[in-house]
């Protein structure tokens, strides 16, 4: 993004280190000399006795301003200036004349488009000032031209960049970025794919962190509205009046602090999609207004008496049980039915542990890339632990866990159990403990011994060798042998 600005900066700082070139054309040598005397101190002065020589200099040299005599044999001053306009249109043109001939002044101004008309004899200081001003305006106009070019280039670049970012966003929210091999997620994809091509209102349900936001965006960016905007509003985050003004806009003066008209998100999302997150948190008044948009496609800004038509696709989400809210009279039934034309219900991560390995690797890849790390994967024990955690924060919690682990990984190659959060390991141990039947015997040593005996026997039976059994149990082979002797296992 910095290049266009750099170009503009460069243009601006291009100062006039070299003096401007001034071309004087007059058939009278004495006039040329005296003009040169007036200007030579501050500028690079070129002189010519006739128009033809003047034009040759104009082609050859860097000339910012010409001063030409009106009356010359062969080519007149006006004719000369016409040539200048044709060849170097931005050169500043001044004309000299010996007598105040109104017709020739008029002609010079109309045809020659001169900057200034200088009458002989001239006052040297006045002429110097005139030339200085003229050149300032020349500098400004060349700077403007360069700025305009730079701006046009910057605009082109921005347009390209905008298009690129749009494609990036589309790619980021494509269906294939949503991970889920489990049958429950496959059913979700089926519904999403069908519904993306339609304008049907969608209600997305699911616990926190299950991907409601992600799914809403994927539906928008995979459908015919993707060129228009996707806007999201969390309906639980704002008091009613503010939420109303966010969604529907307001007229100036509609309430204290409304200093100007403001467009609402429904208008901003025209032809696109609006995502109403946490729809279950809306107050009754807001529910009525939302029902009106869904039924008539009409909005009315706060403080306005007129309604406006909008063409907006609505996707809503909630982590509450809306059906229950309807039964309890906290949510309008008619609105509920309008919203759930299509319902997508995202399963919690607990209900689909088979998705955890793919998700974990997906987030590991993302974190590796973001943090410039090269962790190769997870140890079996770490993956087992990840797959058995309760994940009350669902995919978001898993994502955060992996990001944290990668950030703290140092130069480890694999993610091991010891790198995972303490609370996960604790939760895992608690789950494991709950699944062990606690023996009734009073003697703890005896109870522990019988558990050890059972575990060793099973490990040997399942692995077929003492070495592998010791490995599985996480103890050295010698310890296993000693333990077997003491427990009298043959
Ligand atoms: N199936 C998935 N595949 C890949 N990433 C996912 C998936 N589901 C969720 N995520 C990621 O998990 C994070 C949480 O998802 P998202 O914000 O969509 O959840 P949510 O349901 O809107 O949560 P909340 O109710 O708290 O708003 C995001 O970073 C999202 O990209
Ligand atoms: Mg969300």
């Amino acid at each position: 993004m910095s290049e266009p600005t750099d170009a503009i900066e460069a243009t601006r700082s291009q100062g006039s280190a070299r003096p401007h070139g001034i071309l004087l054309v007059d058939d009278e040598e004495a006039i040329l000399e005296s003009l040169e005397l007036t200007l030579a101190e501050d500028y690079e002065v070129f002189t010519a006795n006739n128009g033809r020589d003047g034009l040759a200099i104009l082609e050859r040299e860097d000339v910012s301003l010409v001063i030409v005599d009106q009356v010359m044999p062969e080519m007149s001053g006006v004719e000369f200036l016409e040539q200048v306009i044709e060849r170097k249109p931005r050169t500043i043109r001044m004309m000299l004349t010996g007598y105040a001939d109104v017709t020739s002044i008029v002609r010079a101004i109309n045809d020659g488009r001169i900057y200034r008309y200088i009458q002989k004899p001239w006052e040297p200081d006045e002429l110097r000032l005139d030339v200085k001003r003229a050149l300032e305006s020349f500098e400004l106009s060349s700077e403007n031209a360069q700025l305009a070019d730079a701006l046009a280039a910057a605009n082109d670049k921005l347009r390209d960049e905008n298009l690129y970012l749009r494609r990036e966003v589309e790619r980021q929210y494509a269906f294939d970025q949503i991970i889920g091999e489990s049958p429950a997620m496959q059913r979700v994809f089926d519904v999403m794919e069908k519904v993306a091509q339609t304008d049907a209102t969608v209600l997305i349900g699911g616990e926190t962190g299950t991907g409601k936001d992600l799914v809403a965006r994927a539906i928008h960016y995979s459908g015919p509205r993707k060129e228009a905007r996707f806007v999201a509003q969390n309906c639980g985050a704002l008091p009613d009046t503010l939420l109303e003004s966010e969604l529907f806009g307001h007229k100036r003066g509609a309430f204290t602090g409304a200093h100007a008209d403001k467009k609402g998100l429904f208008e901003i999302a025209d032809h696109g999609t609006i995502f109403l997150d946490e729809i279950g948190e809306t107050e009754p008044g807001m529910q009525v207004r939302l029902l009106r948009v869904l039924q008539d496609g009409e909005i009315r800004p706060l403080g306005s008496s007129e309604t406006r038509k909008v063409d907006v696709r609505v996707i809503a989400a909630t982590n509450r049980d809306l059906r229950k809210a309807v039964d309890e009279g906290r949510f309008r039934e008619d609105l509920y039915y309008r919203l759930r034309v299509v319902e997508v219900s995202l399963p919690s991560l607990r209900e689909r542990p088979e998705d955890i390995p793919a998700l974990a690797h997906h987030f590991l890849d993302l974190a590796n890339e973001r943090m410039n790390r090269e962790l190769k994967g997870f140890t079996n024990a770490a993956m087992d632990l990840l797959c058995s955690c309760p994940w009350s924060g669902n995919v978001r919690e898993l994502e955060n866990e992996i990001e944290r682990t990668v950030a703290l990984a140092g130069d480890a190659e694999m993610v091991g159990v010891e790198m995972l959060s303490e609370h996960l390991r604790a939760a895992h141990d608690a789950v494991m403990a709950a699944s062990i039947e606690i023996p009734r015997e009073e003697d703890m040593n005896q109870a522990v011994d019988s558990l050890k005996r059972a575990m060793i026997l099973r490990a040997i039976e399942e692995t077929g060798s003492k070495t592998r059994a010791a490995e599985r149990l996480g103890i050295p082979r010698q310890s296993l042998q000693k333990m077997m002797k003491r427990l009298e296992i043959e």
Side-chain angles (χ1 to χ4, degrees), residues 277-298:
D277 206 357
E278 302 199 16
I279 189 86
E281 311 299 315
T282 46
E283 314 261 338
M286 179 54 67
Q287 293 174 21
V288 175
R289 285 185 281 273
L290 288 174
L291 187 64
R292 192 175 310 139
V293 197
L294 285 169
Q295 271 170 351
D296 312 327
E298 275 182 359

Side-chain angles (χ1 to χ4, degrees), residues 69-192:
D69 190 16
Q70 154 73 327
V71 187
M72 294 186 295
E74 294 172 40
M75 196 188 284
S76 76
V78 169
E79 281 164 350
F80 175 77
L81 290 182
E82 278 164 0
Q83 289 292 314
V84 174
I85 289 175
E86 203 157 287
R87 296 169 196 214
K88 297 279 166 77
R90 291 195 322 102
T91 315
I92 300 216
R93 299 169 295 275
M94 290 190 180
M95 174 105 85
L96 275 175
T97 186
Y99 46 91
D101 170 0
V102 177
T103 9
S104 76
I105 294 177
V106 169
R107 188 165 167 228
I109 291 177
N110 288 349
D111 301 352
R113 280 171 276 162
I114 61 167
Y115 174 80
R116 199 166 278 273
Y117 197 89
I118 304 160
Q119 204 169 337
K120 293 184 213 172
W122 61 88
E123 190 56 52
D125 285 341
E126 214 170 285
L127 178 65
R128 268 196 289 265
L129 195 64
D130 275 347
V131 166
K132 185 166 173 276
R133 291 226 182 92
L135 287 171
E136 276 167 9
S137 103
F138 172 83
E139 276 175 11
L140 275 179
S141 84
S142 27
E143 190 178 282
N144 281 352
Q146 289 180 40
L147 283 173
D149 284 352
L151 204 61
N155 267 336
D156 283 352
K157 195 156 186 293
L158 276 180
R159 197 170 309 120
D160 289 352
E161 219 152 89
N162 183 296
L163 200 67
Y164 168 75
L165 287 176
R166 216 172 239 291
R167 297 285 166 262
E168 274 295 285
V169 169
E170 266 168 41
R171 207 168 55 82
Q172 192 179 342
Y173 294 114
F175 284 165
D176 61 14
Q177 292 297 301
I178 307 179
I179 312 289
E181 292 295 317
S182 59
M185 283 306 286
Q186 291 297 321
R187 278 197 295 278
V188 167
F189 293 144
D190 278 350
V191 178
M192 281 173 69

Side-chain angles (χ1 to χ4, degrees), residues 175 177-193 204-206 209-212 214-215 218 344-349 351-356 358-359 394-395:
F175 284 165
Q177 292 297 301
I178 307 179
I179 312 289
E181 292 295 317
S182 59
M185 283 306 286
Q186 291 297 321
R187 278 197 295 278
V188 167
F189 293 144
D190 278 350
V191 178
M192 281 173 69
E193 252 162 73
I204 307 172
T210 45
K212 298 185 291 295
L214 195 63
V215 165
V344 174
S345 181
L346 292 174
S348 72
L349 202 49
E351 294 167 78
R352 48 181 173 117
E354 67 265 46
D355 284 342
I356 291 177
L359 280 166
N394 294 295
V395 185

